[in-house]
Amino acid sequence: MALKARVNGSSLFALPTRTFFLGLLPALVAGGALTAILADAGRYDLLPGLWLLLYGTAVVSAGAHAVRIVPIHGLCFMAFGVATLLAPSGFGDVAMALGFGGIHIAFGTVIARRYGG
């Protein structure tokens, strides 16, 4: 991101970047708070689905002013998070790998090819 900003004569602290990160922040803070609450209650089985769902929510919000594929990326995380919450509790580790690994690789490849990274 720093290299791309430098090439474009911009800064990582420019308005679009700040707007993006401010869009991420509320859902990530909610995820942190709910993680603490669920962990305290011993409900570790809900964490993978919650993390995927709220990360997707953060990406949709942050990507509202980005290229169209960014919010779609977030919607995929949200859908996968809901599916993970509905799946048997033993699916959490696989869901984390498929979600945070697979979805990021798939969309990262498309974004790199179509939008130059």
Side-chain angles (χ1 to χ4, degrees), residues 16-106:
T17 306
R18 280 195 319 251
T19 302
F20 182 81
F21 285 114
L22 288 173
L24 282 174
L25 195 59
L28 296 180
V29 169
L34 288 170
T35 296
I37 292 165
L38 289 173
D40 187 54
R43 294 303 312 263
Y44 299 102
D45 58 314
L46 296 176
L47 293 178
L50 172 79
W51 290 337
L52 289 159
L53 176 61
L54 288 176
Y55 179 76
T57 304
V59 172
V60 169
S61 296
H65 302 291
V67 292
R68 189 173 129 205
I69 196 165
V70 174
I72 293 169
H73 181 194
L75 289 171
C76 287
F77 267 100
M78 291 176 69
F80 197 62
V82 170
T84 301
L85 287 167
L86 297 173
S89 63
F91 183 65
D93 290 338
V94 172
M96 293 289 284
L98 291 174
F100 287 110
I103 294 173
H104 271 137
I105 290 170

